[in-house]
Amino acid sequence: MTDLPKLDFPQLAALARQSAGIDAACACSGVSLAGWESVPLSLDEASLEEVGTLFEDHFVEPPFEEYHPAGTRYDSPDAPIAPRYFPYNRCTVARCKVCGRHFLRYTEAGGYFVDRRIRLLDAALLVDAAL
């Protein structure tokens, strides 16, 4: 369980717009994180601070349904960011302490592995889609 504040869509959109205005070079932008990626070794996770969560309720399992109306896939760089859908409904939002960019993060857990994943919070892809 976490004490992070629950971010609603307007708050998430505001963070995405802030990120869109950042064009400074930074270690967090050294690798394209346009689509979901395993956290690269070149990214120091200590440089990220969590600022909120997209979990609705930590005691209720969120759905695994994905949102891809244009035929994109989970790892597509142009896949929509729909907070009510997987994997966004399991995400925290983190900010780079150096440049201020915001990222979505979650942990993929399979039968034999755990993979921390990250994606840039892109305002152009953010969609307030109902379930």
Side-chain angles (χ1 to χ4, degrees):
M1 193 150 64
T2 179
D3 292 332
L4 292 173
K6 165 69 172 88
L7 300 173
D8 61 21
F9 191 83
Q11 292 168 319
L12 187 62
L15 295 177
R17 285 190 303 273
Q18 286 175 11
S19 287
I22 298 169
D23 59 3
C26 182
C28 75
S29 63
V31 174
S32 174
L33 298 173
W36 283 110
E37 299 287 339
S38 296
V39 175
L41 295 175
S42 62
L43 179 61
D44 178 10
E45 287 194 77
S47 69
L48 301 175
E49 64 181 335
E50 292 187 325
V51 296
T53 183
L54 300 182
F55 270 93
E56 289 292 331
D57 182 341
H58 287 278
F59 297 105
V60 176
E61 181 75 19
F64 282 97
E65 183 178 352
E66 295 183 31
Y67 183 77
H68 298 286
T72 55
R73 297 174 40 95
Y74 159 88
D75 58 350
S76 300
D78 59 342
I81 297 172
R84 293 181 185 93
Y85 289 82
F86 179 82
Y88 309 99
N89 56 8
R90 291 167 164 71
C91 285
T92 58
V93 178
R95 174 179 46 237
C96 176
K97 296 176 188 177
V98 177
C99 71
R101 282 183 182 87
H102 290 88
F103 297 90
L104 299 157
R105 300 195 310 169
Y106 84 102
T107 301
E108 178 72 31
Y112 298 100
F113 71 94
V114 173
D115 187 16
R116 295 183 49 78
R117 302 223 174 135
I118 189 166
R119 183 178 187 191
L120 180 67
L121 179 57
D122 186 338
L125 298 174
L126 198 54
V127 178
D128 192 12
L131 273 175

